[in-house]
Amino acid sequence: MKHTSMQVPEEFQITPYHFKQYLVDGKLKTWEGATSEVYSTIRTVNAEGEQLPTLLGTIPDMESEAALEALESANTAYNRGQGKWPTMKVSERLKCMETFVEKMKQHREAVVKLLMWEICKNKSDSYKEFDRTVDYIYDTIEAYKNLDRKGAKFDKQGGIHAHIRRGPLGVVLCLGPYNYPLNETFCLLVPAIIMGNTAIFKPAKHGVLLIAPLLQAFQESFPPGVVNIVFGRGRKIASPIMQTGVIDVLALIGHSSSAVALQDEHPNKNRLRLVLGLEAKNPAIVLPDADLENTIKECISGTLSFNGQRCTALKVLFVHESIVDEFNRRFSKAVDELVFGMPWEDTFLTPLPEPGKPAYIQDLIKDAVAKGAKILNKKGGQLSENYSFPAVLYPVNETMDVYHEEQFGPVIPIIAYKDINEPLEVMATSNYGQQVSLFGRDVRKIGPLIDALANLVCRVNLNSACQRGPDVYPFTGRKNSAVGTLSVYDALRSFSIRTFVASKDTPYNNEILESMLHSKDSNFVTTEYLL
Ligand code: G3H
């Protein structure tokens, strides 16, 4: 399979961008040390006529000292909770965020182009990622106003007045994934800082250059030290930061092994709060009476949107034995009809951004085939330099690697079941528990099944693929799939803690409180109502 020879339309052509800046203490500093090259797996023809991965630019490969400088900056800005940012009026913090989002919007085209080149996301999904992130920021601003309004009052119980609000936790280390390098990272960073925390943010391994156009917007929108952005490898940046014990929150979307390794670096486990979105092995369960047309459509999007590189992707399909042959025939045909192309051609299938991924997917296929599975679709496993065409594997069993691993790529294991307890048992014994897709119609079957599934995962998708959105809904998981809950509303809670002022109902105290409310000397004790 050859997909490499192509002309890039002028509007999508890219000139290598040698980016040297990082943001620390409110200053855009120039990195004078080593840099690393950023390549796209999309191949273009060079001056010598060779087709090679495309050089997109360079980014700083920063050392531990610079990471610790960023930590110092965040820690100073937080200043034990006495900093300008954590004590600022909520309305002023919101103004900073509004300024940021307006500035961010000006970089839509640049960021979208880099999303297409760096992580090979197709054009419409790249625009969707940008726009969804902007919406998320606006929704977060509204959600915080609402939360703040609820706190703009006094309660009285047992003769004690209480003014209860949510306060920041401290210094946050924020690490996002390559599949949503803008959206998922900002869904951590934005609620973290809006609640009054300060942050150090290191972009993911892929999808790094696209953060560059936004550095200045961060610098101009927030007080010094609130957001610090550094580039480089996890072991040189994240590990030394964690080892200091200064981090109050580890916010990470990625693999549980990274989350565990970083927690282990922190000397004070109980100080460290965790906000983690981790891997999953979301199953689809197809009941005998499922509407196959809709089921196949949803299973295609569930397994193969962005080539299956989504934590919410369907990673295994359990199909009732009475319909499995029909399902396999129609599903395999639908997979082979999917079109591969370049991101700007807006095809459903696009190259894989990780250079080693096609080989990894091939290994999964070979292992399954060696143990008795067949590749059901004609194009399954066809290989090019940056792609392995989606392979439908059947029958899959527990001896195969693809049965256990989160493949995060274009290979779809199918398992036939006879008794519904078979998939339920697999889910119960799995280390993961994010979501499930349930396809069927008979409420006498579906009703009790939902009761069981809701206790095994955190979202049961009825006759539809698994997904995170809409972002106002809770996004979480059981077991090794998540720690904490994210959503526009829940993220504000995850990055804060309830804290309050209590005062006995005496004339002496009441007079102090009333006078404080009138004088506006406290930004915490206030009944100001944000509209
Ligand atoms: O990678 C995991 C993402 O949170 C999935 O989000 O379901 O909107 O693609 P999505």
Side-chain angles (χ1 to χ4, degrees):
M1 186 169 76
K2 283 270 172 239
H3 292 296
T4 52
S5 171
M6 46 104 202
Q7 284 293 316
V8 181
E10 199 175 333
E11 61 177 306
F12 301 110
Q13 286 176 14
I14 196 152
T15 317
Y17 181 32
H18 299 287
F19 184 69
K20 287 192 142 198
Q21 289 183 311
Y22 63 105
L23 178 61
V24 166
D25 196 24
K27 297 178 199 71
L28 282 174
K29 298 192 173 184
T30 301
W31 174 249
E32 303 292 358
T35 56
S36 40
E37 292 179 322
V38 178
Y39 283 95
S40 173
T41 55
I42 298 171
R43 298 160 88 90
T44 43
V45 181
N46 69 10
E48 286 75 45
E50 301 163 303
Q51 276 191 15
L52 293 171
T54 309
L55 179 68
L56 301 179
T58 51
I59 47 150
D61 181 11
M62 296 174 68
E63 298 295 332
S64 305
E65 296 75 53
L68 296 176
E69 185 194 345
L71 175 67
E72 175 62 24
S73 157
N75 202 25
T76 306
Y78 193 68
N79 189 21
R80 300 172 298 184
Q82 294 164 259
K84 181 176 172 190
W85 186 250
T87 55
M88 197 181 253
K89 275 182 162 185
V90 170
S91 59
E92 287 171 15
R93 282 210 296 266
L94 293 178
K95 261 191 221 132
C96 295
M97 194 56 84
E98 280 161 3
T99 305
F100 172 75
V101 71
E102 288 308 314
K103 289 178 187 286
M104 172 180 167
K105 276 157 50 180
Q106 295 164 16
H107 300 282
R108 183 172 184 254
E109 294 304 322
V111 172
V112 164
K113 194 196 249 194
L114 283 161
L115 273 168
M116 288 192 270
W117 277 101
E118 283 194 271
I119 61 159
C120 310
K121 188 168 276 190
N122 75 24
K123 190 168 78 173
S124 33
D125 283 350
S126 293
Y127 277 114
K128 212 184 290 167
E129 175 161 356
F130 189 93
D131 297 340
R132 176 181 178 183
T133 309
V134 167
D135 290 345
Y136 189 93
I137 299 176
Y138 283 124
D139 291 347
T140 299
I141 291 171
E142 285 309 313
Y144 193 14
K145 282 186 192 168
N146 202 17
L147 189 69
D148 191 73
R149 283 195 286 264
K150 287 186 185 147
K153 63 180 174 64
F154 281 82
D155 289 331
K156 187 177 156 194
Q157 292 290 337
I160 296 178
H161 286 294
H163 184 65
I164 309 170
R165 289 187 171 276
R166 296 201 73 89
L169 292 162
V171 181
V172 180
L173 176 61
C174 183
L175 305 166
Y178 83 79
N179 63 338
Y180 282 92
L182 184 77
N183 182 260
E184 296 241 294
T185 315
F186 279 35
C187 288
L188 297 174
L189 188 61
V190 166
I193 55 180
I194 217 169
M195 292 308 295
N197 303 285
T198 60
I200 305 127
F201 155 42
K202 184 191 91 62
K205 195 161 147 215
H206 304 287
V208 188
L209 274 171
L210 61 90
I211 300 297
L214 303 176
L215 246 64
Q216 197 174 348
F218 277 114
Q219 189 227 358
E220 291 170 356
S221 308
F222 298 101
V226 173
V227 182
N228 303 276
I229 305 180
V230 286
F231 300 88
R233 280 154 223 254
R235 77 189 139 79
K236 283 203 270 181
I237 307 274
S239 300
I241 288 178
M242 291 299 283
Q243 284 159 9
T244 62
V246 171
I247 291 297
D248 297 291
V249 186
L250 172 64
L252 176 147
I253 307 272
H255 203 270
S256 57
S257 56
S258 321
V260 168
L262 285 169
Q263 286 173 64
D264 284 346
E265 305 269 15
H266 200 290
N268 189 344
K269 300 279 182 285
N270 293 336
R271 171 175 181 163
L272 185 68
R273 296 282 192 281
L274 300 170
V275 181
L276 309 175
L278 306 171
E279 70 272 23
K281 188 85 180 169
N282 292 342
I285 300 178
V286 185
L287 300 175
D289 65 344
D291 167 352
L292 274 194
E293 195 177 323
N294 174 63
T295 304
I296 285 163
K297 180 171 82 56
E298 292 291 327
C299 284
I300 290 284
S301 106
T303 54
L304 290 173
S305 291
F306 196 40
N307 286 307
Q309 302 165 113
R310 297 160 57 234
C311 59
T312 48
L314 288 174
K315 303 210 172 84
V316 57
L317 309 181
F318 289 95
V319 185
H320 192 263
E321 61 174 15
S322 62
I323 52 162
V324 72
D325 291 339
E326 169 80 353
F327 177 89
N328 284 347
R329 190 179 56 75
R330 290 167 64 176
F331 183 72
S332 305
K333 183 166 173 285
V335 170
D336 273 351
E337 282 165 5
L338 296 172
V339 180
F340 176 91
M342 293 301 122
W344 45 86
E345 295 168 336
D346 217 16
T347 49
F348 187 74
L349 304 176
T350 49
L352 297 167
E354 293 177 288
K357 198 48 143 325
Y360 167 73
I361 297 294
Q362 292 282 314
D363 286 347
L364 289 177
I365 296 171
K366 277 184 212 145
D367 172 76
V369 169
K371 291 169 181 163
K374 290 201 167 48
I375 304 174
L376 297 188
N377 56 323
K378 290 196 189 81
K379 295 191 200 167
Q382 281 182 13
L383 190 64
S384 73
E385 293 88 347
N386 57 20
Y387 202 57
S388 175
F389 197 90
V392 182
L393 296 177
Y394 176 81
V396 165
N397 63 46
E398 69 282 0
T399 65
M400 302 169 189
D401 292 342
V402 73
Y403 179 96
H404 303 279
E405 289 181 27
E406 188 206 33
Q407 63 267 41
F408 219 70
V411 55
I412 306 134
I414 299 182
I415 299 171
Y417 72 90
K418 191 185 181 78
D419 180 335
I420 192 62
N421 280 308
E422 294 166 36
L424 291 181
E425 177 64 11
V426 173
M427 290 174 70
T429 51
S430 157
N431 271 331
Y432 305 116
Q434 192 198 58
Q435 300 189 18
V436 66
S437 290
L438 177 62
F439 295 94
R441 189 188 177 113
D442 181 353
V443 290
R444 285 166 308 174
K445 296 265 165 33
I446 289 176
L449 203 44
I450 287 178
D451 297 350
L453 289 169
N455 292 345
L456 289 171
V457 293
C458 291
R459 175 165 165 165
V460 180
N461 299 278
L462 186 57
N463 291 314
S464 64
C466 298
Q467 63 178 45
R468 174 178 177 154
D471 291 327
V472 289
Y473 290 149
F475 177 54
T476 185
R478 296 169 189 266
K479 303 188 231 173
N480 227 1
S481 285
V483 177
T485 302
L486 295 171
S487 75
V488 169
Y489 165 77
D490 290 298
L492 296 176
R493 299 176 63 83
S494 297
F495 285 103
S496 61
I497 192 162
R498 298 232 291 173
T499 176
F500 71 107
V501 176
S503 88
K504 282 192 181 154
D505 182 15
T506 63
Y508 182 76
N509 280 346
N510 293 351
E511 194 204 318
I512 293 173
L513 284 178
E514 272 170 18
S515 129
M516 193 165 13
L517 285 170
H518 287 129
S519 72
K520 301 191 189 306
D521 278 317
S522 169
N523 288 339
F524 185 91
V525 181
T526 167
T527 48
E528 199 177 78
Y529 207 73
L530 287 183
L531 293 174

